[in-house]
Amino acid sequence: METLLEQTLREFNEKSLGFGEVISSYAVILITMLARNYFESNLEENQTYFENNKQLVLHCIEYLEENFNQNVLLKDICKRFTLSKSNFCKLFYQITGYTFNGYLNMCRSKKAVELLDRGYNATTVSDLCGYNDFSTFYRNFKKFIGVSPIEYKKRKN
């Protein structure tokens, strides 16, 4: 980068024919190098570059299905995949047909069904599925499964 800056200064001082275009080209190269350096230094160990958008969303789905019981936040996912919230949400919806939170709640509801089938009570299932609030768990379960967790458990017995 230092050499590039020196060449830019030389072009500016000499003002040879086309020096403006050369300086513009050097500026683009410098900005690209700085951006590359920034993104490479800010990558987390588990962060990956993706060949296409579908691969990115599939990786995100895999992450959600493995971490559904954690406090998964949209802003953290966007940071992890270096996308803006609006771009990520649009992309996620186009590929899955669900909003990010809708998909997360669906994963949690499916896991809740498995846990209820294994004999856990609804309050414990709510905690195990990453909900901080039972009423939110209850509402989401009913939305995705069609009945409340308590009704589901009664019907299974």
Side-chain angles (χ1 to χ4, degrees):
M1 276 203 283
E2 190 175 324
T3 303
L4 201 53
L5 287 171
E6 289 170 356
Q7 290 172 335
T8 303
L9 183 59
R10 188 175 59 245
E11 283 290 330
F12 180 77
N13 288 334
E14 292 176 4
K15 295 187 178 25
S16 300
L17 184 62
F19 78 96
E21 287 75 14
V22 172
I23 291 174
S24 294
S25 298
Y26 288 160
V28 169
I29 293 168
L30 280 168
I31 290 169
T32 303
M33 292 172 74
L34 288 169
R36 183 183 296 159
N37 188 357
Y38 171 80
F39 286 113
E40 286 174 355
S41 66
N42 287 307
L43 283 177
E44 296 177 16
E45 288 178 13
N46 55 0
Q47 203 166 21
T48 311
Y49 285 109
F50 298 92
E51 293 176 18
N52 60 48
N53 294 338
K54 188 173 182 180
Q55 185 183 5
L56 182 142
V57 171
L58 291 174
H59 187 72
C60 179
I61 288 170
E62 184 180 308
Y63 179 82
L64 288 177
E65 289 175 354
E66 291 172 2
N67 297 283
F68 68 92
N69 59 343
Q70 304 298 314
N71 187 21
V72 181
L73 300 174
L74 176 61
K75 68 177 184 151
D76 296 332
I77 294 292
C78 291
K79 183 178 178 183
R80 178 183 181 88
F81 296 112
T82 60
L83 284 173
S84 71
K85 285 183 187 179
S86 61
N87 284 341
F88 178 79
C89 289
K90 203 180 307 180
L91 181 62
F92 193 87
Y93 187 81
Q94 285 174 344
I95 292 174
T96 65
Y98 290 94
T99 64
F100 172 80
N101 286 324
Y103 193 89
L104 176 60
N105 288 327
M106 181 185 65
C107 288
R108 288 175 169 172
S109 295
K110 286 180 179 179
K111 187 63 177 179
V113 165
E114 291 175 26
L115 293 169
L116 288 169
D117 287 346
R118 289 175 36 200
Y120 289 93
N121 69 44
T123 306
T124 303
V125 169
S126 172
D127 292 338
L128 291 173
C129 289
Y131 286 98
N132 297 324
D133 175 63
F134 184 78
S135 62
T136 304
F137 164 69
Y138 185 94
R139 185 177 59 251
N140 286 330
F141 188 93
K142 191 167 185 174
K143 178 181 176 181
F144 286 101
I145 306 305
V147 294
S148 73
I150 289 124
E151 290 173 46
Y152 177 85
K153 193 141 172 93
K154 283 180 185 174
R155 289 182 184 178
K156 281 296 193 176
N157 291 333

